[in-house]
Amino acid sequence: PLDAALDLVAGNAQHLLNGNGAAIAIPEVDELVCRGSAGRAPALGVHFRAETGLTGEALRSGRVVTCHNTLADPRVDSEVWRKVGIRSAISVPIALLGGATGVLEVFALESNAFTSAHGILLEELSQLVGRVIATSQTPSEAREHSTQPDEPR
């Protein structure tokens, strides 16, 4: 049920931002796993590292990260992006229990596809994703997926 809900949100994100694909990745053990996908995006179940590229920057900064040109941005592996045909991307962390617990990303085939207005919309969608994840997990599972320590009780 969680993957189906995340697929639906990814599809809506792709549509609302006029992208060509979207993905939602959440942590499992030491890496992120794609749990929602639409269009030209990583397939469900694909594992990737959380500390590098746009994904890593979004998780570290806690803010929207935009790549206007994947062929010229030093934060990304331009060869990988060239092979899949993606020229711009926007990524936002998904917050759960006060910490970043994953990312929502939208991809486009053309450069400069995303604006600050897209970032605002993506932040709103990421809050929805956080609520979807929170309602699908037990409290202990949600704490395990958060990258921030729990508040003292």
Side-chain angles (χ1 to χ4, degrees):
L2 177 60
D3 288 350
L6 295 180
D7 274 347
L8 182 63
V9 176
N12 286 330
Q14 174 189 345
H15 177 74
L16 290 169
L17 274 69
N18 296 314
N20 299 99
I24 298 170
I26 59 176
E28 288 185 11
V29 190
D30 292 335
E31 47 190 7
L32 291 175
V33 178
C34 183
R35 296 285 302 273
S37 182
R40 187 173 266 181
L44 290 179
V46 169
H47 292 246
F48 53 97
R49 294 176 46 187
E51 56 276 346
T52 60
L54 298 179
T55 300
E57 186 174 334
L59 288 171
R60 283 189 303 278
S61 71
R63 300 202 300 241
V64 173
V65 177
T66 305
C67 175
H68 295 289
N69 183 349
T70 59
L71 300 181
D73 193 319
R75 299 173 297 177
V76 301
D77 183 340
S78 60
E79 185 61 23
V80 170
W81 291 94
R82 184 189 63 72
K83 285 180 181 177
V84 297
I86 299 298
R87 295 297 176 263
S88 56
I90 187 167
S91 179
V92 65
I94 299 165
L96 185 63
L97 293 176
T101 189
V103 292
L104 169 57
E105 297 179 310
V106 179
F107 312 103
L109 300 178
E110 64 279 345
S111 298
N112 300 303
F114 303 111
T115 66
S116 59
H118 291 115
I120 292 168
L121 181 56
L122 200 61
E123 285 179 314
E124 294 293 323
L125 287 171
S126 76
Q127 292 176 14
L128 173 63
V129 173
R131 288 192 293 274
V132 167
I133 293 169
T135 58
S136 72
Q137 298 175 334
T138 66
S140 62
E141 288 173 325
R143 280 192 297 277
E144 288 174 14
H145 285 170
S146 178
T147 59
Q148 300 292 322
D150 288 341
E151 293 292 318
R153 297 179 203 260

